[in-house]
Amino acid sequence: MMLSTAIDTRAAADWYRRNRQRSEALFDLIDPAAYYTRPILLRNPIVFYEGHLPAFSVLAFLRRGLGRPSVDARLEKLFERGIDPDSQDAAVPRSGASTVWPSREEVRAFARACDEAVLAALPDMPSTPEAIEGLYTALEHEAMHQETLLYMWHRLPYHQKRRSSTVFSQETRSSGELDQRPPDLLTSCKEIPEGAAILGADRRSVLFGWDNEFNAHPVHVPAFEIDTLPVTNGQYLEFVNAGGYSRRDLWSDEGWAWLQAEGVRSPAFWITRNSPDLLISCEETQWRAMFEALPFPGDWPVYVSHAEASAYARWKGRRLMTEAEWHRAAEGATPGHVDFAGFDPVPAGSCPRSASIHGVHDLIGNGWEWTSTIFGPFAGFSAMRSYPEYSADFFDGQHYVMKGASPATAKELIRPSFRNWFRSNYPYVYAKFRTVR
Ligand SMILES: [Fe+2]
């Protein structure tokens, strides 16, 4: 899968330590009383993740990459896998509700033992493809989990969290404090000419990529028109108040079933006070920020599920972009509002210097970008040895590709070939969207 080449083990050790410090800071945001709770019903309780991160590094790097033995076979087994059932009911049998979780002291002692073993193995690790793949699988896995932990922390009641700025370069900023963007951007579109997009990564030119990033291949993309900015909360409010959540014709069968089953009437990041059939006013609606409920941020990108994004696009007579169209529109774009820059988004279009050469803003940052592309393998796909179930378990036609990055995406994960994916009815991710025609 990877280049066989010497690697900078000191840089890798620095990254490992940086990862571990940030993870520790993330767990310190939680009131210890919430340690065994499950902020998202579809996911494991918090205790699982504090053990899972070091357990997985041992599995991917030491065991699968270097052929070394376990540090603690029992705890590595307990902390091996997360869950992704398709509904909250389905979560029950796999929920671990009957699992007896270890004390936090035991989890932390296990984590220290794993860290010591990983750091001891790094300096003279062999530069074999297996070892390099295992190492970067472990490093990127932890960085990815930091974002998914923050999704969960966003769901916790405020009294279970403690504000901190130790790992974040800034706190949530409210609208109007950033570079002022030209007012007409919000409703403007850009024409992207016909051309080729290169999807995927070339195995010969990268040290590491996940299995779903290979092989690199060109895709011809016809010309299309795309919104300059992502859809904002203010724009999405019009859809909600136009009865968007009651119109069967705007939703897929799966999306509609989700609305009915869970009574969804607005985005999961909105705190609304209205009864279901009344209009929502922005005065009475708040944004569920990480540490407090904020006044409705009309000019921030709306974070919604794929089903909600698709319904809005249909309402507009438009559609979501494909994965290949993202590559075309994002040509020359650079990251903006990423790498733990904050706990929440900033107003759409706040980072004009990160716009693509086509003048499209916020394609790499301020929230992942939903695409209409069903997650699947590229030609030449082969499951990776260090984590064979990473992608292959999700090639089920029920997950959609997200591109770009969010405020909680580590800089090491930001590259054009990186692909993220979620079910269409999962509303807790930092994912925005825009429409195309
Ligand atoms: Fe994991």
Side-chain angles (χ1 to χ4, degrees):
M1 167 129 327
M2 316 298 148
L3 289 174
S4 186
T5 180
I7 61 157
D8 183 345
T9 56
R10 188 173 300 181
D14 285 347
W15 183 4
Y16 187 82
R17 286 194 195 91
R18 202 160 66 239
N19 260 346
R20 300 300 293 140
Q21 282 163 4
R22 187 184 290 129
S23 295
E24 192 177 333
L26 293 180
F27 286 101
D28 283 346
L29 295 175
I30 300 302
D31 183 325
Y35 192 57
Y36 294 94
T37 66
R38 189 188 306 272
I40 297 178
L41 196 55
L42 304 184
R43 296 288 181 260
N44 275 302
I46 293 170
V47 52
F48 167 82
Y49 296 94
E50 196 163 33
H52 174 65
L53 296 175
F56 184 88
S57 292
V58 167
L59 174 66
F61 176 48
L62 293 184
R63 289 164 52 193
R64 290 181 178 155
L66 300 181
R68 302 272 185 90
S70 287
V71 172
D72 182 323
R74 180 182 68 89
L75 290 178
E76 282 161 43
K77 184 81 194 142
L78 178 65
F79 290 122
E80 189 170 324
R81 281 217 77 181
I83 47 179
D84 172 53
D86 58 6
S87 76
Q88 302 205 354
D89 287 343
V92 175
R94 302 175 59 196
S95 68
S98 59
T99 303
V100 179
W101 296 100
S103 69
R104 190 162 203 186
E105 261 170 42
E106 192 182 348
V107 176
R108 290 189 157 176
F110 167 64
R112 279 193 299 276
C114 294
D115 291 346
E116 280 168 24
V118 168
L119 289 167
L122 265 171
D124 53 1
M125 65 172 273
S127 286
T128 59
E130 303 78 47
I132 293 173
E133 182 194 296
L135 171 62
Y136 285 96
T137 293
L139 291 169
E140 293 206 358
H141 171 265
E142 180 143 0
M144 285 191 284
H145 263 292
Q146 290 169 346
E147 177 162 0
T148 58
L149 287 176
L150 285 166
Y151 297 160
M152 283 194 283
W153 288 189
H154 240 108
R155 296 293 121 197
L156 280 171
Y158 291 124
H159 70 269
Q160 292 182 336
K161 292 184 273 198
R162 303 149 158 184
R163 198 185 280 269
S164 160
S165 55
T166 52
V167 284
F168 292 81
S169 52
Q170 66 199 33
E171 287 291 314
T172 296
R173 294 179 295 183
S174 48
S175 310
E177 294 172 16
L178 294 140
D179 319 355
Q180 291 301 308
R181 56 158 199 254
D184 60 339
L185 277 189
L186 199 55
T187 50
S188 78
C189 292
K190 295 286 187 283
E191 294 292 334
I192 311 296
E194 169 182 22
I198 304 295
L199 273 64
D202 182 349
R203 289 179 203 271
R204 291 160 303 181
S205 61
V206 295
L207 188 60
F208 175 79
W210 294 96
D211 49 12
N212 65 60
E213 295 174 61
F214 302 109
N215 288 335
H217 60 285
V219 175
H220 178 77
V221 183
F224 63 103
E225 179 199 272
I226 185 168
D227 296 341
T228 304
L229 295 182
V231 173
T232 63
N233 287 299
Q235 292 172 316
Y236 197 83
L237 181 64
E238 295 171 24
F239 166 71
V240 175
N241 282 338
Y245 283 72
S246 313
R247 277 186 51 184
R248 176 67 188 87
D249 58 311
L250 299 177
W251 300 78
S252 66
D253 292 349
E254 188 189 14
W256 186 253
W258 171 59
L259 295 193
Q260 305 316 308
E262 300 189 21
V264 179
R265 310 294 299 174
S266 59
F269 283 83
W270 291 8
I271 302 170
T272 58
R273 272 179 250 161
N274 63 303
S275 66
D277 297 319
L278 295 178
L279 295 187
I280 293 180
S281 72
C282 51
E283 290 76 24
E284 285 192 310
T285 303
Q286 294 172 302
W287 175 268
R288 185 189 295 277
M290 184 61 90
F291 297 107
E292 61 188 328
L294 293 178
F296 189 73
D299 59 356
W300 289 9
V302 66
Y303 283 175
V304 289
S305 67
H306 185 272
E308 291 167 305
S310 304
Y312 177 97
R314 211 166 284 138
W315 177 65
K316 282 282 181 187
R318 294 164 70 90
R319 60 178 177 81
L320 301 184
M321 72 179 100
T322 64
E323 183 177 12
E325 285 171 340
W326 180 89
H327 281 269
R328 288 288 297 152
E331 203 180 343
T334 55
H337 199 55
V338 298
D339 197 32
F340 308 96
F343 290 101
D344 283 282
V346 291
S350 290
C351 310
R353 278 182 301 242
S354 71
S356 76
I357 61 167
H358 304 288
V360 184
H361 291 240
D362 290 15
L363 282 171
I364 309 178
N366 209 16
W368 292 88
E369 196 79 23
W370 278 121
T371 77
S372 59
T373 300
I374 291 175
F375 183 57
F378 292 154
F381 173 87
S382 65
M384 52 210 301
R385 182 184 349 226
S386 56
Y387 195 174
E389 65 275 29
Y390 174 65
S391 304
D393 279 10
F394 302 94
F395 295 151
D396 55 7
Q398 296 182 39
H399 291 76
Y400 292 85
V401 173
M402 303 192 310
K403 294 294 292 184
S406 89
T409 308
K411 62 180 186 291
E412 292 88 350
L413 304 177
I414 300 174
R415 53 181 179 261
S417 58
F418 191 93
R419 307 169 81 202
N420 202 341
W421 64 93
F422 276 92
R423 288 180 184 280
S424 67
N425 62 0
Y426 194 67
Y428 306 127
V429 290
Y430 302 147
K432 63 187 183 343
F433 72 103
R434 71 192 76 205
T435 67
V436 307
R437 179 160 60 191

